[in-house]
Amino acid sequence: MNDHISRQLREAAEAHHPDRARMLARVQRGAAGPAVRHRARSGLRSWPKAAIAGLAAAGILATGGLAAGLVRPPQPSETATTAPAAPSPTATPTPTRSAPPATTVPVPAPDPATTPASPHPTPSASVRAQNGPLWSEGSIDSHSTIYWAQSNLLLRTGQPLTSLTVELRIAQTGGVRDTGNWRTLPVDDFTVTVQESGGALVYRWVLKPGRTVPPGQHEFAGQYNHATGVRGAAGDSYRVEAQSTGGTAAVWGGFTPAG
């Protein structure tokens, strides 16, 4: 009897084709709310209780396997995390300042000590270009170079001179060395010396006793090397002392740049 029931249960289980859609719906309803009891089909009432119990067990096993295959736990969704955008700074209006009223600034008068020297020195305590019968002018020769220079003294006299001393002082600005000298008056009429004295190269011409300088224009020049570059002559000077029938006279000054 038991073998017969077991065989019938196996045949019923093998022939059974579960309605998957309905079973899935039932599972979903069961998960959503309380189980709903249904009346057993009338066709099953004629089955013995043991067969019904076995068939129910087989159905429950099949339904559980199907539900396990159909219903899967929800997978966590991959949500892209986006960093919140930084708040844009709020532009702060810049207060507008009105321009200050125009102010007239007085322009100071130029300082004579910083004013560039004019081509011809103006008379001052350090310059006396004319005195008595004498007139003088000092300048740097236009043929001077960045290695060598020549300082010229132009001297005029309106009367014969019985005594004359001419002195040129070339400041030692670096590398200043004597390379020669000359004058337009006869060489035998003068005693010439060149020496370093007081931080300067000094050229001196002294008229020999018994000699005379005639009226007219005469020139004296000192030549020298110097450190490479354009040499400034601001520290250079000349002085002339003379004696004539009208008395003694003296002139002095500096040397204007060439050109």
Side-chain angles (χ1 to χ4, degrees):
M1 180 63 180
N2 291 333
D3 295 339
H4 178 69
I5 291 174
S6 298
R7 186 172 59 254
Q8 287 182 344
L9 288 174
R10 282 196 303 271
E11 291 175 357
E14 292 174 358
H16 178 70
H17 296 284
D19 190 341
R20 296 184 179 183
R22 290 185 64 185
M23 289 192 304
L24 180 59
R26 288 181 64 185
V27 171
Q28 292 176 347
R29 285 197 301 271
V36 181
R37 294 182 179 179
H38 296 277
R39 296 178 62 184
R41 295 183 182 180
S42 59
L44 296 177
R45 290 180 181 178
S46 60
W47 285 61
K49 293 181 178 182
I52 293 173
L55 182 59
I60 290 173
L61 292 175
T63 304
L66 179 61
L70 295 178
V71 180
R72 298 178 61 187
Q75 300 295 326
S77 59
E78 296 180 359
T79 304
T81 302
T82 304
S88 58
T90 304
T92 303
T94 303
T96 303
R97 297 183 180 179
S98 58
T103 304
T104 302
V105 179
V107 179
D111 186 356
T114 59
T115 304
S118 60
H120 299 283
T122 57
S124 67
S126 60
V127 176
R128 186 166 79 176
Q130 187 172 0
N131 179 235
L134 301 180
W135 177 91
S136 62
E137 181 181 48
S139 65
I140 302 299
D141 195 89
S142 60
H143 295 94
S144 298
T145 69
I146 60 173
Y147 310 104
W148 174 91
Q150 176 176 297
S151 297
N152 300 327
L153 172 62
L154 188 63
L155 179 66
R156 295 186 193 139
T157 175
Q159 297 177 0
L161 302 176
T162 57
S163 173
L164 176 65
T165 299
V166 176
E167 183 178 275
L168 309 185
R169 297 182 65 87
I170 310 303
Q172 183 54 263
T173 55
V176 175
R177 296 290 183 272
D178 172 47
T179 59
N181 64 87
W182 53 269
R183 86 264 98 229
T184 54
L185 291 168
V187 62
D188 294 337
D189 289 355
F190 289 88
T191 300
V192 183
T193 59
V194 181
Q195 62 182 356
E196 292 270 357
S197 176
L201 181 63
V202 181
Y203 295 86
R204 183 178 290 111
W205 294 265
V206 178
L207 184 67
K208 293 177 179 181
R211 308 295 175 94
T212 303
V213 175
Q217 180 171 293
H218 312 287
E219 192 169 356
F220 298 80
Q223 301 171 332
Y224 48 90
N225 289 331
H226 58 77
T228 303
V230 178
R231 180 183 176 276
D236 301 349
S237 63
Y238 69 85
R239 182 178 181 87
V240 178
E241 295 178 351
Q243 178 76 39
S244 67
T245 56
T248 61
V251 292
W252 58 80
F255 297 88
T256 60

